[in-house]
Amino acid sequence: MAEFKKADSMLEWFDQRLGVINFAKVMMSEYWIPKNINFLWAMGVLLTVLFTFLVVSGIFLLMYYKPDANMAFDSVNYTIMQEVAYGWLFRHIHAVGASVVFLIIYIHMFTGIYYGSYKKGREMIWISGMLLFMLFSAEGFSGYMLPWGQMSYWAAYVITEIFGGIPFIGDELVVWIRGNFYVADATLTRFFMLHVLLIPLAIIGAIVFHFYALRFPHVNNEQGEFFDFDKESEKYLAGDKKHSKVIPFWPVFLSKDIFVLGVFLIFFFYLVFFHYGFAMDPINFDKANGLKTPAHIYPEWYFLWSYEVLRGWFFEIAGISGKDLGLMAFGFANIIFLVLPWLDRSPMVKPANQRPYFKYWFWLMIADLMVLTEFGKLPPTGPNAWVGFGASLVFLVLFIALPFITKAEAKKVKGK
Amino acid sequence: MKEFKILAVIIALVGITYYGIEPYAHSVMHPAVAPADFTFQDVKNVDTSLVGNEANGKVLVEANCIACHAIEKAGHPAVMPNADSAASYGVVPPDLSHAGRIYDKNYLANFIFDPVTAMHLQSKYNPENGKAFPMPSYNWMSPQDIMDVVAYLQSIAPKVADDKAGHKITFEAACGRCHNMQYAGIEATTPVDNLKTYMGATPPDLSQYIKSRGEHYLHSFINDPQILLKGTSMPRVGLTEKAQEEVIAYMEEVGDSKKAERESLGIWVMLYSAVFALLAYLWKRKIWEEVH
């Protein structure tokens, strides 16, 4: 063991044992971020804070929640909402936080697409981010089941039913997932386990991985400019802070993020206290009843676009049933974002609006996702069904066409 | 400036999406219905402008009503235990102590004249299916006599306080024969097996109806269930607007008991966030001065 001299301060004592000074440098004061950024670069910190809110409120809810088909509904709506001091506050933060976390994830994700932050060395950042999106989706879905209301039950029924469409093993798979022939107590308890243990563990791992993936390619900037981070950071440390293209994570980058967070929290708490209906569907305040199907079944808003891709295919084409076509389209929609770095064949790393062809693709994609989201909620009858089909088709075409569009763009800008 | 533009684009996109999936989608799924009618104008068999005579009403009530109905407030206890009366009539007949207060005058008079028409339950009780409502029509009674009965019932109905205890009395009188309210420890006075036979299905527990249906829906629904739920066996009960408000207030006091706490705390937490944002802004300005 190395020789230890007596420490003169508490900091030194810890530094001798844990190397905290160096650690703080690497993680905070000498972790370099580009200066040329806007508030969209704060979404990562917002998401970290929201995830913390969800974990903390979740821990409090866990103390009173009862994962049992006979007790779950009342443990949430009576015990937590009415008996436990501020139980309602934790539930509102948890429910609204779960919904808003997806809003911020989408903003974060589309910011990445808009600025081309998924290519030229940043592929692993993108992939780990999409992995987080999938894990959050699973977390949201499993959590939505826990209050055991009508929408919990029927959303669980419809979504688990989707797996029945997988060839050969579908029917057995559905039973395996549900732990019963229908959605029942066994389904609730296993999704409870997933929601409070397995998926959160995976999420924490994926967050660490996502942060780690940022270290080597570095954070992108508003103009997609590539520069030498070592040179710029030396400039900064030498005192030329004004001309350096980088800023340290602490305190410069975080000071901006914390301000953005402050503004966001006003909005967030407005939703938590006064406008939470979008995140706590009224139908879910009816206790689950497997014999009574609600008039309208729809998933939470953040799943609506992919739900509509699934639902848009309602008629047979070339001998393949609408249901199977929908499933294929749904499968496509859920993995296609993951491979985006390889679909974009243009080497340009620029904001979308500075890219001659990609800008049309980007805004069309956003518009299509909005149409899908809207019609995913409306009843799929009459013209709605056709709009849904059209939007679903446009979604597929957009992603199939992306390599060709970006290839043409690469040619036009001559590989710049 | 540029940051504000970006923010404006995001707010616009999120706003349009929000409008589509919340207010608009819900207006499609739940179309607006005719406004609630608390005058019950559609039933006009009895001339309700006649002035009732309470003394004659008392005589008529004692001769015609108390064989089946309890009127605790006037010293007429229930004729038999709830289980027995439910077995005899299908459902426990209401105690009429509060009838004069909670039911609209026009409704009550027309109900006595012809209950099924007043309740809008013609689809459930009609000569074709041979089902008959347990209470007979008093269409042989003169309008003056009916108005005397109404006047008497109005004279004996006790006033209740405008607080949770008072709202509970109204709720129990108006809804308590068929509906449970588990979160308030209220159990329907009619045993559940009788109810299931009588209504065709077990009437729902109302503990969370203020949340699952909302005040707006309840306002129309209680006034006339057939408009929102065609064919339901729940009768139009004929509550006055005030009695209905008391019922809904009680449902909120039980189903959303933390509303006041939520709304007062909410303001403080938002204020706290605003101060936090302001301080963070000042700090950010100070820090970024060095690098810009």
Side-chain angles (χ1 to χ4, degrees):
Chain A
M1 199 173 113
E3 192 121 349
F4 270 61
K5 74 176 182 66
K6 191 177 180 312
D8 289 330
S9 67
M10 210 198 303
L11 179 68
E12 197 182 339
W13 192 90
F14 277 106
D15 192 45
Q16 286 169 341
R17 285 153 184 85
L18 297 169
V20 288
I21 292 175
N22 238 340
F23 187 74
K25 270 190 187 170
V26 171
M27 299 305 283
M28 304 283 280
S29 62
E30 291 184 19
Y31 170 34
W32 304 102
I33 310 282
K35 191 193 284 174
N36 184 18
I37 53 174
N38 58 48
F39 77 88
L40 291 171
W41 268 255
M43 296 306 132
V45 165
L46 256 56
L47 286 170
T48 314
V49 171
L50 273 175
F51 181 64
T52 312
F53 278 13
L54 288 166
V55 170
V56 173
S57 56
I59 287 171
F60 281 97
L61 293 174
L62 199 45
M63 294 186 208
Y64 291 95
Y65 174 74
K66 293 192 167 58
D68 177 298
N70 290 318
M71 294 191 277
F73 184 86
D74 293 332
S75 77
V76 172
N77 290 306
Y78 186 66
T79 312
I80 291 172
M81 290 294 279
Q82 312 216 31
E83 293 276 273
V84 177
Y86 295 100
W88 59 268
L89 178 59
F90 289 109
R91 192 202 179 184
H92 276 221
I93 288 177
H94 204 72
V96 173
S99 200
V100 172
V101 91
F102 275 93
L103 173 66
I104 307 296
I105 285 177
Y106 281 129
I107 294 175
H108 195 53
M109 186 174 148
F110 295 128
T111 301
I113 299 178
Y114 183 86
Y115 290 100
S117 310
Y118 50 84
K119 52 186 177 176
K120 276 199 169 173
R122 297 200 174 91
E123 291 85 352
M124 288 314 293
I125 307 174
W126 177 259
I127 288 188
S128 56
M130 285 313 298
L131 184 69
L132 275 167
F133 175 74
M134 289 172 182
L135 287 169
F136 267 91
S137 300
E139 183 70 354
F141 171 65
S142 57
Y144 199 66
M145 203 183 296
L146 303 188
W148 209 240
Q150 271 291 68
M151 209 54 120
S152 298
Y153 185 92
W154 288 97
Y157 177 87
V158 171
I159 303 292
T160 50
E161 192 80 356
I162 289 174
F163 292 93
I166 294 173
F168 307 115
I169 56 164
D171 291 344
E172 286 76 12
L173 192 62
V174 173
V175 176
W176 184 74
I177 291 170
R178 289 176 180 169
N180 203 324
F181 295 102
Y182 55 97
V183 174
D185 188 65
T187 325
L188 176 63
T189 50
R190 64 185 52 200
F191 277 87
F192 171 70
M193 179 284 291
L194 288 174
H195 185 75
V196 304
L197 181 71
L198 194 55
I199 303 173
L201 277 182
I203 286 178
I204 291 167
I207 290 175
V208 171
F209 180 58
H210 192 55
F211 288 170
Y212 178 70
L214 279 163
R215 299 301 292 226
F216 295 96
H218 288 288
V219 173
N220 193 9
N221 56 71
E222 229 183 359
Q223 288 303 320
E225 186 189 355
F226 285 88
F227 53 79
D228 186 341
F229 272 74
D230 292 337
K231 230 172 77 191
E232 296 298 328
S233 57
E234 270 167 37
K235 213 190 268 179
Y236 188 94
L237 288 173
D240 191 5
K241 294 182 180 178
K242 289 200 194 301
H243 292 106
S244 173
K245 288 180 176 174
V246 296
I247 49 171
F249 184 71
W250 173 267
V252 185
F253 178 73
L254 271 188
S255 73
K256 184 166 178 169
D257 284 12
I258 288 170
F259 163 60
V260 176
L261 175 69
V263 176
F264 167 75
L265 286 182
I266 302 173
F267 167 69
F268 177 71
F269 284 121
Y270 166 71
L271 298 178
V272 165
F273 289 99
F274 299 104
H275 202 94
Y276 43 82
F278 72 99
M280 297 163 86
D281 199 283
I283 297 171
N284 222 24
F285 287 93
D286 275 343
K287 206 179 274 193
N289 182 349
L291 299 173
K292 198 174 156 199
T293 319
H296 306 280
I297 303 176
Y298 40 81
E300 285 291 88
W301 72 267
Y302 38 86
F303 293 140
L304 287 172
W305 68 271
S306 60
Y307 182 60
E308 187 62 10
V309 169
L310 171 79
R311 215 169 56 158
W313 304 78
F314 61 93
F315 51 89
E316 189 182 297
I317 298 175
I320 309 173
S321 73
K323 196 185 162 205
D324 289 342
L325 287 169
L327 265 177
M328 286 188 252
F330 181 72
F332 177 87
N334 279 288
I335 55 154
I336 200 64
F337 277 105
L338 198 64
V339 294
L340 188 64
W342 293 277
L343 295 178
D344 184 347
R345 311 297 299 168
S346 166
M348 265 187 128
V349 179
K350 285 271 173 218
N353 277 11
Q354 294 177 24
R355 296 176 58 181
Y357 297 154
F358 186 76
K359 64 178 167 196
Y360 299 112
W361 184 88
F362 178 81
W363 291 111
L364 251 173
M365 190 252 319
I366 296 286
D368 192 50
L369 284 176
M370 284 168 68
V371 172
L372 284 168
T373 301
E374 168 64 22
F375 284 84
K377 183 120 180 195
L378 294 175
T381 44
N384 288 1
W386 288 100
V387 175
F389 171 71
S392 178
L393 189 66
V394 167
F395 182 85
L396 301 190
V397 169
L398 273 172
F399 278 88
I400 292 167
L402 183 59
F404 303 101
I405 293 169
T406 46
K407 197 86 200 164
E409 181 181 279
K411 212 181 247 173
K412 185 177 163 91
V413 301
K414 299 194 180 65
K416 263 183 245 163
Chain B
M1 211 47 233
K2 193 165 149 204
E3 306 226 7
F4 283 110
K5 263 193 215 160
I6 297 171
L7 186 62
V9 169
I10 290 177
I11 290 174
L13 296 179
V14 173
I16 293 167
T17 310
Y18 172 79
Y19 172 78
I21 57 180
E22 281 293 314
Y24 177 69
H26 286 287
S27 76
V28 171
M29 289 186 271
H30 313 286
V33 294
D37 168 24
F38 290 100
T39 58
F40 304 94
Q41 276 174 331
D42 58 302
V43 278
K44 24 179 120 58
N45 290 312
V46 181
D47 178 4
T48 49
S49 64
L50 296 168
V51 179
N53 177 323
E54 289 167 21
N56 187 42
K58 181 170 162 46
V59 175
L60 287 167
V61 164
E62 285 173 0
N64 291 289
C65 309
I66 59 170
C68 303
H69 289 282
I71 314 179
E72 293 275 1
K73 295 292 171 199
H76 304 294
V79 185
M80 46 186 152
N82 285 340
D84 294 345
S85 62
S88 312
Y89 303 109
V91 67
V92 176
D95 182 309
L96 299 181
S97 302
H98 296 276
R101 178 175 65 83
I102 65 173
Y103 301 125
D104 172 73
K105 183 170 101 175
N106 182 44
Y107 178 89
L108 186 55
N110 279 285
F111 181 96
I112 296 167
F113 183 89
D114 176 3
V116 172
T117 304
M119 291 186 298
H120 282 177
L121 284 183
Q122 294 93 332
S123 64
K124 185 176 168 189
Y125 301 108
N126 53 50
E128 285 86 63
N129 67 18
K131 276 193 176 172
F133 184 64
M135 172 171 154
S137 297
Y138 282 75
N139 49 13
W140 49 266
M141 237 185 209
S142 73
Q144 182 60 56
D145 283 352
I146 289 180
M147 291 317 290
D148 292 351
V149 169
V150 170
Y152 172 67
L153 291 175
Q154 286 182 328
S155 74
I156 57 164
K159 284 204 165 44
V160 296
D162 188 19
D163 58 13
K164 192 174 170 185
H167 300 160
K168 183 179 184 189
I169 293 170
T170 306
F171 177 87
E172 287 189 310
C175 320
R177 290 185 299 132
C178 300
H179 290 285
N180 288 357
M181 180 83 120
Q182 196 198 333
Y183 291 0
I186 296 175
E187 204 171 310
T189 52
T190 307
V192 65
D193 289 338
N194 299 100
L195 266 180
K196 211 168 167 179
T197 314
Y198 182 70
M199 299 299 286
T202 311
D205 185 291
L206 300 182
S207 301
Q208 287 291 284
Y209 259 46
I210 192 69
K211 299 214 155 186
S212 65
R213 299 304 183 278
E215 196 188 336
H216 182 74
Y217 181 96
L218 292 171
H219 184 78
S220 307
F221 185 81
I222 300 173
N223 181 253
D224 189 356
Q226 298 296 336
I227 290 180
L228 282 155
L229 206 61
K230 190 119 195 76
T232 178
S233 54
M234 166 157 165
R236 175 166 80 161
V237 288
L239 297 183
T240 65
E241 187 163 15
K242 183 158 184 298
Q244 184 178 305
E245 276 167 8
E246 287 170 2
V247 164
I248 295 175
Y250 187 64
M251 292 168 86
E252 185 174 285
E253 281 150 4
V254 170
D256 192 11
S257 61
K258 301 291 180 175
K259 189 179 177 195
E261 183 177 69
R262 186 174 68 232
E263 288 176 354
S264 69
L265 181 67
I267 298 291
W268 288 107
V269 174
M270 284 177 69
L271 257 166
Y272 178 89
S273 306
V275 172
F276 175 90
L278 182 72
L279 292 175
Y281 178 69
L282 297 173
W283 183 52
K284 184 241 158 197
R285 284 252 319 232
K286 183 171 158 262
I287 298 271
W288 279 71
E289 239 168 34
E290 281 186 40
V291 299
H292 260 318

